[in-house]
Amino acid sequence: VERAYLGVRMGDAPEGGAAVGDVVPDGPADRGGLRSGDRIVEIDGTPVRDSDDVSGTVNAARPGQEVRVLVERGGERRTLTVELGTQPDQVSGP
């Protein structure tokens, strides 16, 4: 079974949303413009309360699907488009 893959490690942001930690080099999130330190506040039009909201959206998607990710970076908000990849059999790193 192929599963969608974003290619980040994340946790819950203290102010709400999901805090992006490590980003897999040349992974879907990296190619879409996500950076370590970003705070994901919305994904595909749905507000993000915590990292589980991001995981749930990615898990419900399919590889190759594009998702719109609203992030906060340096006090500014920007919308990024990420084409989800296919979850590798063994995830090494983020």
Side-chain angles (χ1 to χ4, degrees):
V1 175
E2 290 188 341
R3 298 191 187 279
Y5 174 64
L6 184 58
V8 297
R9 285 189 195 225
M10 64 190 155
D12 298 340
E15 61 275 13
V20 177
D22 296 326
V23 178
V24 173
D26 201 36
D30 186 28
R31 289 190 301 270
L34 268 83
R35 301 287 173 255
S36 179
D38 284 350
R39 182 168 70 101
I40 301 173
V41 296
E42 187 178 289
I43 187 164
D44 259 3
T46 302
V48 172
R49 295 173 307 227
D50 54 36
S51 59
D52 287 341
D53 288 342
V54 176
S55 296
T57 298
V58 171
N59 290 337
R62 62 189 184 287
Q65 182 176 334
E66 288 188 346
V67 293
R68 292 173 42 101
V69 182
L70 178 63
V71 299
E72 196 169 88
R73 178 188 300 161
E76 295 180 10
R77 288 188 173 200
R78 62 186 69 195
T79 301
L80 307 171
T81 301
V82 177
E83 182 180 331
L84 299 172
T86 301
Q87 176 75 50
D89 290 335
Q90 295 251 332
V91 177
S92 62

